[in-house]
């Protein structure tokens, strides 16, 4: 096929794809009644926000220290609780461990149910149950971590070498002994990596949970936005970014040097 014809065909295809995307974008805007002129009419509000956003209120920094510490502690506690519950549940959710399709299906269905609930909805549910505060944040992060990490762990278990398992079965080992001696050594490093990954995700998520009363620095972010204190909003976002950067750096070090 001539090169010119090939390029011409690809150009038409790309143009058609672009037109379809533009049509979907325009159609979606029409269906939800988007007022595009608001972008122009509210430019004064945008300028007000940007003027405050690019001038952080540094005098507010001392008041952020305690909420930042609370946010980190919430993430650590929630991650630890979630991972501790996820490990045995993930083992029970794999047929290679239980040799029981009913138990495996039951646990996998539960994992799927937990993962379908968004973080903010979980936080709102726990606020209704236990009230506003850091405990709500810990419980929300724990449930979210459980759903995420259990899925990763049982996927890792399903790919292990079955040689040690068959060897243990041949000498009459119990299912618990097989899980402990034949499977755990093969997946423990992956589990530690998943726990670190969950912690990184939870640091980011915990900053938002304060919007529904789950404690941490998110409460101050919500308050600053509500009162149009954009200088404080800027400073809080900078502190969140710094916290995430430090967390990622520590996680990378642990992955390379410890695990």
């Amino acid at each position: 096929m001539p090169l010119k014809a090939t390029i011409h065909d690809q150009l038409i295809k790309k143009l058609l794809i672009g037109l379809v995307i533009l049509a979907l974008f325009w159609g979606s805007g029409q269906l939800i009644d988007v007022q595009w002129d608001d972008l122009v009419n509210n430019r004064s509000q945008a300028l007000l926000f940007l003027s405050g956003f690019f001038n952080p209120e540094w005098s507010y920094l001392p008041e952020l220290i305690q909420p930042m510490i609370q946010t980190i502690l919430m993430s650590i506690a929630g991650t630890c609780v979630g991972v501790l519950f996820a490990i045995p549940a993930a083992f029970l959710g794999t047929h290679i461990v239980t040799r029981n399709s009913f138990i495996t299906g039951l646990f996998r269905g539960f994992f799927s149910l937990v993962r379908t609930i968004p973080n903010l909805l979980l936080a709102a549910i726990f606020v209704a149950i236990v009230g506003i505060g850091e405990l709500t944040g810990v419980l929300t992060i724990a449930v979210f971590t459980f759903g995420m990490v259990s899925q990763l762990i049982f996927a890792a278990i399903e790919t292990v070498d079955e040689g040690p398992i068959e060897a243990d079965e041949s000498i009459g080992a119990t299912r618990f002994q097989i899980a402990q001696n034949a499977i755990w050594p093969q997946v423990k490093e992956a589990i530690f990596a998943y726990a670190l990954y969950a912690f990184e995700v939870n640091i980011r998520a915990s900053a938002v949970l304060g919007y529904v009363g789950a404690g941490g620095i998110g409460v101050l972010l919500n308050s600053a936005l509500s009162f149009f204190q954009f200088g404080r909003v800027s400073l809080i976002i900078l502190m969140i970014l710094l916290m995430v950067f430090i967390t990622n750096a520590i996680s990378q070090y642990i992955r390379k040097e410890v695990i």
Side-chain angles (χ1 to χ4, degrees):
M1 178 182 297
L3 178 61
K4 183 177 180 181
T6 303
I7 295 174
H8 181 69
D9 290 341
Q10 290 181 351
L11 178 61
I12 293 175
K13 181 179 179 181
K14 290 179 179 178
L15 285 174
L16 288 174
I17 292 174
L19 289 173
V20 170
I21 292 173
L22 286 174
L24 290 173
F25 180 75
W26 180 83
S28 300
Q30 292 298 311
L31 286 173
I32 61 177
D33 195 25
V34 173
Q35 302 298 322
W36 299 108
D37 54 347
D38 287 346
L39 293 173
V40 178
N41 297 335
N42 292 332
R43 59 184 181 277
S44 58
Q45 179 65 24
L47 291 173
L48 177 64
F49 171 79
L50 292 174
S51 63
F53 189 79
F54 287 110
N55 291 283
E57 188 178 328
W58 297 106
S59 60
Y60 189 58
L61 182 59
E63 299 184 42
L64 298 181
I65 304 301
Q66 185 65 25
M68 285 180 63
I69 294 173
Q70 291 176 347
T71 300
I72 294 172
L73 294 177
M74 277 169 45
S75 300
I76 293 173
T79 302
C80 290
V81 172
V83 170
L84 287 176
F85 279 95
I87 292 173
F91 274 77
L92 291 171
T94 52
H95 188 265
I96 199 173
V97 174
T98 63
R99 302 299 188 195
N100 188 308
S101 299
F102 175 76
I103 294 177
T104 299
L106 186 65
F107 273 89
R108 290 196 182 185
F110 181 66
F111 299 156
S112 298
L113 175 63
V114 172
R115 290 197 308 275
T116 59
I117 306 175
N119 268 359
L120 289 178
L121 179 56
L122 273 174
I125 292 172
F126 282 122
V127 165
I129 296 174
V130 301
I132 295 173
E134 283 69 32
L135 178 60
T136 298
V138 172
L139 292 174
T140 302
I141 292 171
V143 174
F144 172 73
T145 302
F146 173 85
M148 175 176 61
V149 174
S150 59
Q151 170 78 16
L152 295 171
I153 294 175
F154 88 65
I157 294 173
E158 292 287 357
T159 62
V160 299
D161 180 13
E162 296 194 29
I165 299 174
E166 293 171 354
D168 280 5
E169 287 177 338
S170 67
I171 60 174
T174 63
R175 305 316 303 175
F176 178 78
Q177 290 171 330
I178 292 172
Q180 182 181 29
N181 301 323
I183 299 175
W184 171 255
Q186 298 187 61
V187 299
K188 63 180 181 181
E189 291 184 2
I191 291 175
F192 293 143
Y194 296 151
L196 284 173
Y197 171 70
F199 177 64
E200 293 175 17
V201 172
N202 290 335
I203 283 287
R204 298 178 180 90
S206 60
V208 183
L209 295 179
Y211 273 87
V212 290
I217 200 169
V219 175
L220 297 182
L221 179 59
N222 185 28
S223 175
L225 281 170
S226 300
F227 289 100
F228 304 104
Q229 298 169 320
F230 301 128
R232 293 187 176 186
V233 172
S234 176
L235 183 62
I236 292 170
I237 291 175
L238 285 174
M239 292 300 102
I240 292 173
L241 291 174
L242 178 63
M243 185 168 57
V244 170
F245 176 78
I246 293 174
T247 302
N248 289 347
I250 294 173
S251 296
Q252 290 293 334
Y253 174 79
I254 293 174
R255 285 192 182 95
K256 291 180 180 179
E257 304 295 335
V258 179
I259 297 180

